[in-house]
């Protein structure tokens, strides 16, 4: 792996784009082969039934959520560990619902696997968007597009002809649904948080932003490399069970930013979530945003890093694009 050392974060040594190796089959080979062969037809059936039929029928939000839970149930994604900042275990029902993402709010979610979008749709029935690194607008996408983007190559810029909208317009247009943004703009192996998209800066003032971290056990269901459909299906369907660990931070409200405010300068020292060497690299990149805007991105990024128990890294979409080019040149992706 020395040839990929240039794609490690300089401060922490984290390589957020390397694939997670699967566990060897060993004595479990007969069981895993049986589970894969048994589940694959069922999985294809429920996927086609939902995306070709059920999502177009007037079955309501509850009916669609039930169908999505069937999709999650086939590979036995059942044991979901949910923790919310400021809420003790077992006391969620006695807490105010304001601690959970509500209609009219924005969910800033980690992005590691196609399961992310399915789980968020099954819980919150949100509006999905695709973010790009240096653009404050987003592209509205469907659930299927959000799933497929987990297998897609990184996109530093929107394709020509892409229709971009402001996050505020989506919030106003869909007051009864939350809006999901994947601010890292591309998938990782869940070992680091990439620099966040400027799309978060277009969230209207006083609109609540909920950082949400999704992590998996076993962790090899992540898709940091594009086009890994077969290996993902094998890992997903051959394991007996999968656990999702969901962490929701306290909401962050964006404040009104002054146009005349000076650009933000990085003065933070090295912490658990931040590498000082990487902040030096980002000073010039972030010179177009104000101090309050940079503080918002930092707050969301640090929340995602704390929830996932990882560190923020200085590698972004362009670095992943170069990593994929080098990786595919040396290896064949299945």
């Amino acid at each position: 792996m020395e040839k990929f050392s240039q794609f490690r974060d300089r401060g922490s040594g984290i390589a957020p784009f390397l694939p997670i190796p699967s566990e060897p089959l060993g004595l479990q080979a007969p069981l895993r082969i049986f589970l894969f062969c048994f589940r694959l037809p069922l999985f294809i059936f429920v996927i086609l039934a939902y995306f070709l039929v059920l999502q177009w029928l007037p079955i309501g939000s509850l009916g669609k959520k039930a169908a999505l839970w069937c999709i999650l149930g086939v590979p036995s994604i059942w044991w979901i560990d949910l923790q919310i900042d400021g809420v003790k275990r077992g006391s969620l029902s006695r807490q105010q619902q304001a601690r959970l993402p509500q209609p009219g709010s924005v969910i800033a979610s980690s992005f590691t696997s196609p399961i992310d979008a399915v789980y968020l749709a099954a819980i919150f029935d949100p509006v999905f968007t695709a973010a790009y690194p240096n653009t404050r607008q987003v592209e509205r996408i469907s659930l299927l597009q959000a799933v497929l983007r987990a297998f897609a190559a990184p996109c530093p810029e929107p394709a020509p002809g892409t229709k971009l909208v402001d996050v505020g317009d989506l919030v106003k247009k869909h007051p009864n649904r939350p809006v999901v943004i994947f601010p890292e703009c591309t998938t990782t192996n869940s070992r680091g948080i990439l620099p966040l998209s400027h799309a978060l800066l277009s969230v209207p003032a006083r609109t609540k932003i909920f950082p949400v971290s999704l992590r998996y056990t076993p962790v090899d269901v992540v898709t940091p490399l594009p086009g890994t459909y077969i290996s993902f299906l094998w890992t997903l369907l051959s394991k007996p069970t999968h656990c999702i660990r969901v962490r929701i931070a306290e909401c962050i409200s964006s404040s009104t930013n002054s146009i005349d405010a000076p650009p933000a300068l990085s003065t933070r020292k090295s912490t658990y979530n931040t590498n000082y060497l990487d902040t030096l690299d980002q000073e010039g990149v972030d010179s177009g945003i104000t101090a309050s805007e940079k503080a918002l991105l930092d707050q969301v990024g640090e929340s995602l890093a704390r929830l996932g128990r990882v560190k923020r890294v200085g590698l972004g979409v362009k670095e992943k694009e170069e990593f994929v080019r080098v990786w595919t040149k040396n290896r064949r992706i299945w």
Side-chain angles (χ1 to χ4, degrees):
M1 293 297 177
E2 293 183 0
K3 65 182 70 175
F4 303 108
S5 60
Q6 60 180 314
F7 302 106
R8 291 184 178 272
D9 180 63
R10 290 191 302 170
S12 62
I14 295 172
F17 308 132
L18 285 175
I20 304 296
S22 299
E23 298 178 0
L25 292 177
L27 298 177
Q28 293 186 340
L31 173 62
R32 293 188 60 181
I33 293 174
F34 169 77
L35 288 176
F36 178 79
C37 295
F38 176 75
R39 288 171 171 172
L40 182 61
L42 293 176
F43 191 69
I44 294 176
F45 173 77
V46 295
I47 288 286
L48 294 179
Y50 178 79
F51 287 107
L52 295 182
V53 180
L54 294 179
Q55 73 168 342
W56 307 109
L57 297 179
I59 58 178
S61 175
L62 186 60
K64 293 180 180 179
K65 289 182 178 181
L68 291 171
W69 276 112
C70 289
I71 295 177
L72 295 174
V74 171
S76 294
I77 306 177
W78 294 113
W79 309 107
I80 298 177
D81 179 19
L82 172 63
Q83 289 187 18
I84 303 173
D85 277 359
V87 178
K88 295 182 179 180
R89 287 181 179 271
S91 61
L92 178 59
S93 60
R94 300 192 298 271
Q95 300 291 329
Q96 296 180 355
Q97 292 297 317
R99 294 187 179 274
L100 291 172
Q102 298 292 317
S105 63
V106 172
I107 298 174
S109 174
S110 60
F111 195 24
T112 62
S113 171
I115 305 174
D116 297 343
V118 179
Y119 174 80
L120 292 173
I123 297 296
F124 301 110
D125 186 29
V127 175
F128 287 98
T129 65
Y132 299 91
N134 300 314
T135 304
R136 300 197 180 204
Q137 293 184 310
V138 295
E139 176 189 1
R140 184 184 175 182
I141 58 177
S142 65
L143 170 59
L144 180 59
Q145 289 175 310
V147 170
L148 294 179
R149 285 185 75 88
F151 298 105
C155 299
E157 300 291 340
T162 300
K163 184 179 180 180
L164 300 178
V165 296
D166 291 329
V167 177
D169 293 339
L170 288 178
V171 172
K172 293 178 181 179
K173 187 176 180 180
H174 303 277
N176 298 321
R177 301 171 68 187
V179 175
V180 168
I181 300 176
F182 298 106
E184 295 175 276
C185 305
T186 187
T187 54
T188 67
N189 58 12
S190 78
R191 293 179 175 174
I193 298 298
L194 308 185
L196 303 188
S197 167
H198 292 179
L200 289 174
L201 304 179
S202 66
V203 175
R206 295 178 296 278
T207 297
K208 295 180 179 180
I209 303 174
F210 287 88
V212 175
S213 173
L214 304 173
R215 291 175 64 84
Y216 301 93
T217 304
V219 74
D220 52 5
V221 291
V222 298
T223 56
L225 290 175
T228 53
Y229 299 96
I230 297 177
S231 61
F232 171 77
L233 283 176
W234 164 255
T235 304
L236 180 68
L237 300 178
S238 66
K239 295 289 183 68
T241 59
H242 300 272
C243 175
I244 305 180
R245 194 186 74 183
V246 183
R247 300 292 184 266
I248 302 177
E250 293 185 2
C251 65
I252 300 169
S253 296
S254 60
S255 59
T256 304
N257 299 309
S258 173
I259 297 178
D260 298 328
L265 295 179
S266 177
T267 59
R268 294 170 293 142
K269 297 180 181 180
S270 179
T271 66
Y272 177 76
N273 297 323
T274 306
N275 298 315
Y276 181 65
L277 290 175
D278 297 324
T279 62
L280 296 177
D281 293 337
Q282 296 173 16
E283 288 182 4
V285 177
D286 294 343
S287 60
I289 63 177
T290 64
S292 58
E293 290 175 335
K294 189 172 191 301
L296 173 65
L297 294 180
D298 287 340
Q299 192 172 2
V300 175
E302 288 169 4
S303 293
L304 289 173
R306 175 178 54 83
L307 295 174
R309 297 181 181 180
V310 295
K311 293 184 178 181
R312 299 173 65 189
V313 299
L315 305 174
V317 176
K318 290 185 178 180
E319 286 77 12
K320 181 176 177 179
E321 189 177 38
E322 178 63 19
F323 171 81
V324 171
R325 186 188 67 80
V326 175
W327 179 274
T328 53
K329 183 179 180 180
N330 293 274
R331 294 170 179 262
R332 184 177 182 180
I333 298 178
W334 292 95

